[in-house]
Amino acid sequence: DVQLQASGGGLAQAGGSLRLSCEAAGFIFTDYAIGWFRQAPGKVREGVTSIDPSDGSTYYANSVKGRFTISSDNAKNTVYLQLNSLKPEDTAVYYCAAKRGTPSMRDGYYDSWGQGTLVTVSS
């Protein structure tokens, strides 16, 4: 079965950086797309970025373009999310998720989810 383990969250100051990791197991990594989503307190979950590990194609929400970078290490079955120039509004629980086929920024298309990792950005 598909297993996802997200890690790397923590506390950062505005303008700082963090790197999140999503370690995958139980499936052929390059057959799936991996997405990162986040949910801030009192808000709906939103798509942040997604990647197709088979060809490296990536997609970003406008709110994070130029600040966040998604990448994959296929040898390690791991997707990374580099968060730079963090803002207080980036504070949220970040989740990684997997779906067969091509990436999507819509959470409803993903059927396997990691446990979430909290990112807190102080002003």
Side-chain angles (χ1 to χ4, degrees):
D1 57 333
V2 175
Q3 297 178 8
L4 300 169
Q5 180 74 37
S7 62
L11 176 64
Q13 291 187 333
S17 298
L18 287 171
R19 189 176 81 157
L20 308 184
S21 299
C22 177
E23 188 172 350
F27 60 99
I28 299 173
F29 191 62
T30 50
D31 283 352
Y32 282 68
I34 304 294
W36 282 99
F37 297 82
R38 66 185 181 185
Q39 188 166 20
K43 295 189 176 181
V44 299
R45 187 165 58 193
E46 63 174 348
V48 176
T49 180
S50 59
I51 188 168
D52 183 342
S54 69
D55 65 8
S57 56
T58 59
Y59 306 84
Y60 294 94
N62 288 335
S63 59
V64 306
K65 276 182 183 176
R67 301 190 299 121
F68 292 6
T69 303
I70 190 171
S71 62
S72 69
D73 184 335
N74 294 358
K76 295 183 178 180
N77 284 6
T78 300
V79 168
Y80 301 100
L81 180 59
Q82 180 68 40
L83 289 66
N84 295 332
S85 302
L86 282 163
K87 304 176 181 180
E89 52 263 43
D90 294 319
T91 295
V93 177
Y94 284 70
Y95 300 88
C96 60
K99 66 176 292 291
R100 285 187 177 272
T102 57
S104 173
M105 296 292 281
R106 298 182 64 176
D107 58 357
Y109 290 126
Y110 289 78
D111 48 22
S112 298
W113 292 80
Q115 84 287 4
T117 185
L118 177 63
V119 171
T120 303
V121 184
S122 63
S123 58

